[in-house]
């Protein structure tokens, strides 16, 4: 887990050394293990890192290519190290490369298509001293943040917003559009921040800065995955289990004890028991999330998992959190002005503090299970198209929101586009009137927050892609939780957000994930030999 930064003056002026030291000081606010910088004639790059893996201990960035023409800084955990090393012929040399070195070698070989070969959580920049070009990339979902400012002949980027503001190159002016979006949708456009002059690179994109002109393009397009219509259900469950094992194994890579969240749900239980299976000799610490006598406590399910783990656990009492002191974390508001947005962050606060106190540096969570494994009700539409009315009625009879599902997934898809646009216009007449009075924002702005749905291979994929790509999720992934755990010196890892798992889900029929009113159907099948019956048969979720 690292923080990175860079400053380039395209007019050739030297970089202010005092500003560089200030950035490093702000990035070292925690107890990071190493920091380094490289000052060139008109540029500077730096990194501050917190060790979690054996390779990270050998990582002394910034690093250069063998000919010295390229400079890389990366905040990265590469999960397909073995496959990537094989493609790069590294195993023949007998040396062990750091994650940053793997990225630089991949870029040297494939240029910007190196991202086609990288799996993991990462954000990085590569500077070409000869051409004075900068290349940037963020991982598919954007778990490692990267922000930037551009003014005159200066371009600066950083993993954190505050160091960029402290440079004094731009004002701290609030971005009114982002604030309006936030009030209306609890989200902001993915390329923006709450500060008018600070932007963010978007997850799943690659960017080039040439002659101080930035161009960006999306390299990951999950909506265009090809649907495998004829794959057998049992074969799909076996494939899911195999990929899930890879996702968890990759995230167990640590030279320090690894803790994992245990909430009693299907997702966290799957991660916990798979980690226990793959790392029987590894120092693993279950953190059981308890809410005491509150209705949302899931202790009965947690206890079933703990029986199979056969490991001592630490109880994390979220119900005993001192909220008055918790909500005075001023550094949270520096990135997201409306924090705390909801109760979702309460367990994260106490989990981070507890994990830090135990001496672990890595925390595994079950986050992502709902987004990736839950399934989509577009199966109604698919069954209707195939005239499979018996199956349609069977699925629909289990719906808990029949009126909404009937309109959204059965009636609306059959209506002509013209009729839908007329209905939307009539609805927006009154809607816009209220919004203009309250916020000065039009409904069209909200519509523009999502990727357009042209070219989707299957309607059943839309719900999942929408959940992964919506701006609220993007804000969650690269802002508060990352900063929260960073403050506690904890690297948080989410196996369910492994891109290999997401690609598999989008290639399979929706009916494999949602069947007879039962969500996560394929996950239950894949985890049948791992999870306790009490967890497998659970259909409810904790009521917060």
């Amino acid at each position: 887990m690292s923080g990175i930064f860079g400053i380039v003056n395209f007019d050739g002026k030297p970089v202010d050394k005092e500003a560089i030291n200030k950035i490093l000081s702000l990035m070292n606010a925690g107890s990071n293990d190493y920091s380094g910088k490289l000052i060139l004639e008109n540029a500077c790059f730096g990194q501050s890192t917190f060790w979690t893996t054996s390779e990270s201990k050998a990582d002394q960035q910034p690093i250069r290519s063998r000919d010295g023409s390229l400079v890389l800084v990366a905040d990265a955990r590469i999960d397909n190290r073995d496959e990537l090393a094989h493609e790069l012929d590294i195993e023949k040399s007998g040396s062990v490369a750091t994650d940053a070195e793997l990225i630089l070698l991949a870029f040297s070989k494939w240029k910007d298509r190196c991202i086609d070969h990288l799996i993991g959580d990462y954000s990085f920049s590569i500077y070409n001293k000869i051409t004075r070009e900068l290349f940037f990339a963020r991982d598919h979902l954007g778990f490692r943040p990267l922000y930037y400012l551009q003014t005159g002949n200066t371009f600066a980027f950083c993993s954190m917003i505050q160091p960029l503001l402290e440079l004094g190159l731009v004002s701290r002016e609030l971005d009114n559009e982002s604030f309006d979006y936030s009030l209306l949708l609890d989200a902001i456009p993915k390329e923006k921040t709450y500060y008018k002059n600070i932007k963010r690179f978007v997850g799943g994109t690659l960017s080039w800065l040439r002659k101080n002109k930035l161009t960006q393009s999306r390299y990951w397009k999950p909506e265009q995955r090809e649907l495998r219509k004829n794959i057998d259900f049992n074969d799909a469950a076996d494939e899911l289990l195999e990929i899930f094992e890879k996702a968890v194994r990759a995230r167990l890579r640590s030279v320090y004890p690894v803790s994992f969240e245990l909430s009693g749900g299907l997702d966290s239980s799957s991660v916990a028991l798979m980690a226990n299976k793959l790392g029987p000799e590894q120092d693993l610490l279950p953190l059981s999330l308890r809410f005491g006598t509150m209705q949302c406590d899931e202790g009965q399910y947690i206890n079933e998992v703990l029986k199979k783990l056969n490991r001592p656990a630490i109880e994390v009492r979220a119900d005993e959190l001192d909220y008055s002191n918790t909500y005075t974390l001023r550094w949270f508001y520096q990135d997201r002005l409306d924090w705390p947005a909801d109760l979702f962050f309460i367990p994260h606060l106490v989990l981070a503090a507890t994990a830090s106190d135990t001496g672990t540096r890595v925390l595994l969570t079950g986050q992502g299970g709902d987004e990736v494994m839950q399934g989509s009700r577009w199966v109604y539409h698919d069954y209707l198209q195939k005239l499979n009315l018996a199956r349609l009625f069977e699925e629909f009879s289990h719906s808990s929101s029949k009126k909404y599902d009937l309109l959204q997934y059965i009636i609306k898809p059959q209506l002509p586009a013209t009729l839908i646009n007329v209905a939307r216009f009539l609805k927006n007449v009154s809607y816009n009137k209220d919004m203009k009075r309250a916020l000065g924002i039009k409904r069209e702005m909200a519509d523009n927050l999502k990727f357009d749905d042209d070219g989707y291979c299957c309607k059943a994929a839309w719900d999942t892609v929408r959940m992964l790509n919506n701006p609220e999720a993007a804000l969650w992934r690269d802002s508060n939780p990352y900063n929260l755990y960073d403050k506690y010196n904890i690297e948080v890892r989410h196996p369910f957000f492994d891109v290999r798992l997401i690609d598999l889900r989008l290639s399979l029929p929706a009916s494999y994930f949602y069947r007879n009113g039962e969500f996560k159907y394929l996950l239950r099948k894949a985890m049948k030999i791992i999870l306790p019956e009490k967890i497998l048969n659970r259909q409810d979720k904790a009521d917060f």
Side-chain angles (χ1 to χ4, degrees):
M1 184 171 67
S2 307
I4 61 173
F5 76 89
I7 306 173
V8 179
N9 289 328
F10 286 93
D11 57 3
K13 291 183 179 179
V15 177
D16 184 353
K17 293 183 180 180
E18 185 176 335
I20 297 168
N21 292 331
K22 192 170 188 178
I23 289 178
L24 275 175
S25 176
L26 288 169
M27 293 174 65
N28 281 324
S31 55
N32 289 341
D33 297 304
Y34 171 83
S35 62
K37 61 186 176 183
L38 174 64
I39 300 177
L40 306 175
E41 292 181 359
N42 66 312
C44 177
F45 303 93
Q47 180 224 35
S48 178
T49 186
F50 181 69
W51 295 331
T52 57
T53 66
S54 58
E55 294 83 11
S56 66
K57 288 188 172 184
D59 191 8
Q60 296 188 355
Q61 298 182 44
I63 61 173
R64 301 193 196 199
S65 58
R66 291 179 179 176
D67 64 2
S69 63
L70 303 178
V71 177
L72 174 139
V73 282
D75 175 14
R77 189 198 69 252
I78 301 301
D79 292 334
N80 62 328
R81 285 178 50 86
D82 293 342
E83 298 92 327
L84 187 57
H86 177 73
E87 291 181 84
L88 295 168
D89 292 329
I90 289 179
E91 72 277 8
K92 295 179 181 179
S93 68
S95 61
V96 178
T98 66
D99 290 354
E101 289 170 340
L102 286 175
I103 294 173
L104 187 56
L105 289 171
F107 181 83
S108 299
K109 182 173 183 177
W110 297 299
K111 301 308 177 194
D112 57 8
R113 299 321 305 173
C114 66
I115 44 86
D116 296 331
H117 303 264
L118 303 178
I119 294 175
D121 298 347
Y122 57 81
S123 63
F124 65 88
S125 171
I126 297 177
Y127 178 62
N128 189 315
K129 289 173 55 182
I130 299 173
T131 63
R132 291 193 174 183
E133 295 176 342
L134 277 162
F135 174 73
F136 302 92
R138 286 187 67 193
D139 61 80
H140 301 77
L141 289 170
F143 274 104
R144 301 293 173 108
L146 194 60
Y147 306 97
Y148 69 92
L149 65 82
Q150 191 171 16
T151 176
N153 290 306
T154 299
F155 188 95
F157 64 90
C158 188
S159 300
M160 303 164 61
I161 289 178
Q162 287 308 304
L164 292 177
L165 292 173
E166 292 294 335
L167 289 174
L169 297 173
V170 295
S171 71
R172 297 171 180 261
E173 182 181 355
L174 179 72
D175 186 90
N176 291 326
E177 183 185 31
S178 293
F179 194 62
D180 287 346
Y181 270 77
S182 180
L183 290 174
L184 179 62
L185 299 163
D186 192 28
I188 62 176
K190 289 195 288 186
E191 72 282 359
K192 287 177 171 284
T193 70
Y194 283 97
Y195 298 96
K196 184 175 182 179
N197 298 302
I198 305 293
K199 311 297 182 184
R200 57 176 167 168
F201 292 102
V202 178
T205 65
L206 58 85
S207 308
W208 280 100
L209 184 68
R210 296 183 171 105
K211 297 181 179 180
N212 207 16
K213 182 178 180 181
L214 188 67
T215 59
Q216 304 186 58
S217 61
R218 195 157 63 102
Y219 68 80
W220 187 53
K221 299 180 180 180
E223 70 276 15
Q224 295 180 3
R225 288 289 299 173
E226 183 179 351
L227 187 65
R228 299 154 62 189
K229 297 180 180 179
N230 299 319
I231 184 172
D232 178 76
F233 177 81
N234 291 323
D235 291 341
D238 291 340
E239 193 171 342
L240 170 60
L241 181 61
E242 180 183 352
I243 295 176
F244 186 65
E245 284 187 8
K246 289 181 179 179
V248 174
R249 188 188 302 277
R251 287 161 178 79
L252 286 173
R253 185 165 61 100
S254 174
V255 290
Y256 298 94
V258 175
S259 56
F260 50 83
E261 163 199 29
L262 190 55
S263 65
L266 183 66
D267 307 325
S268 71
S269 301
S270 296
V271 172
L273 288 169
M274 180 59 75
N276 192 61
K277 173 189 172 184
L278 297 175
E281 305 301 323
Q282 192 166 351
D283 192 354
L284 302 176
L285 178 62
L287 301 179
S288 61
L289 192 60
R290 309 280 180 155
F291 287 85
T293 59
M294 297 173 69
Q295 187 176 352
C296 59
D297 184 72
E298 299 181 276
Q300 59 174 318
Y301 301 105
I302 293 174
N303 292 336
E304 290 295 312
V305 178
L306 289 176
K307 290 177 186 177
K308 298 198 73 171
L309 286 173
N310 195 28
R311 291 177 183 268
I314 293 181
E315 282 197 7
V316 178
R317 295 298 298 266
D319 59 318
E320 297 176 353
L321 193 64
D322 183 348
Y323 302 113
S324 60
N325 287 329
T326 299
Y327 288 152
T328 59
L329 303 177
R330 290 186 301 167
W331 40 269
F332 261 91
Y333 296 94
Q334 294 175 342
D335 286 351
R336 180 169 176 172
L337 307 180
D338 62 332
W339 189 89
D342 52 49
L343 295 176
F344 174 77
F345 289 104
I346 293 176
H348 283 269
L349 290 165
V350 66
L351 276 171
T354 305
S356 179
D357 290 342
T358 63
T360 66
R361 292 194 174 198
V362 173
L363 174 69
L364 303 188
T365 84
Q367 299 299 327
D370 287 347
E371 290 84 345
V372 180
M373 292 287 113
Q374 184 160 291
S376 167
R377 285 179 172 155
W378 275 105
V379 290
Y380 299 142
H381 171 267
D382 291 349
Y383 288 140
L384 183 60
Q385 277 196 325
K386 298 172 184 176
L387 296 179
N388 192 342
L389 302 183
R391 194 60 184 272
L392 170 61
F393 177 78
E394 183 182 15
E395 294 284 353
F396 190 70
S397 65
H398 291 86
S399 172
S400 59
S401 52
K402 289 184 173 61
K403 289 184 179 179
Y404 176 82
D405 289 353
L406 180 67
L407 175 64
Q408 186 70 23
Y409 299 105
I410 299 178
I411 296 177
K412 188 177 176 181
Q414 315 308 322
L415 297 176
T418 302
L419 186 58
I420 293 176
N421 289 334
V422 171
R424 182 179 295 164
F425 172 78
L426 293 174
K427 180 181 178 182
N428 286 346
V429 168
S430 60
Y431 186 91
N432 278 341
K433 183 178 180 181
D434 293 335
M435 286 301 101
K436 286 178 180 178
R437 185 184 305 115
L439 302 170
I441 182 173
K442 294 184 179 180
R443 177 62 192 178
E444 296 88 272
M445 296 172 68
D447 290 336
N448 289 334
L449 281 174
K450 69 179 189 302
F451 288 122
D452 59 50
D453 51 0
D454 293 337
Y456 277 73
C457 60
C458 175
K459 283 287 186 182
W462 166 239
D463 282 341
T464 298
V465 173
R466 181 180 58 189
M467 291 178 76
L468 294 171
N469 275 334
N470 79 73
E472 184 179 2
L475 189 65
W476 175 83
R477 284 194 293 266
D478 76 356
S479 183
N480 287 335
Y482 184 92
N483 291 340
L484 166 64
Y485 288 100
D486 186 44
K487 289 291 181 181
Y488 284 104
N489 290 316
I490 295 291
E491 180 178 324
V492 59
R493 300 175 181 176
H494 313 285
F496 277 109
F497 280 125
D498 191 293
V499 68
R500 295 167 290 192
L501 209 58
I502 296 170
D503 283 344
L504 172 67
R505 184 268 172 269
L506 295 176
S507 72
L508 298 176
S511 58
Y512 285 11
F513 297 87
Y514 174 71
R515 180 176 294 184
N516 297 333
E518 186 174 24
F519 286 107
K520 303 182 183 178
Y521 192 77
L522 187 66
L523 179 63
R524 296 174 196 272
K525 172 67 176 178
M527 298 295 144
K528 190 170 185 179
I529 61 174
I530 296 177
L531 292 175
E533 286 293 322
K534 194 176 184 72
I535 304 293
L536 280 171
N537 297 330
R538 226 193 134 175
Q539 299 299 325
D540 62 332
K541 293 179 72 70
D543 182 10
F544 287 94

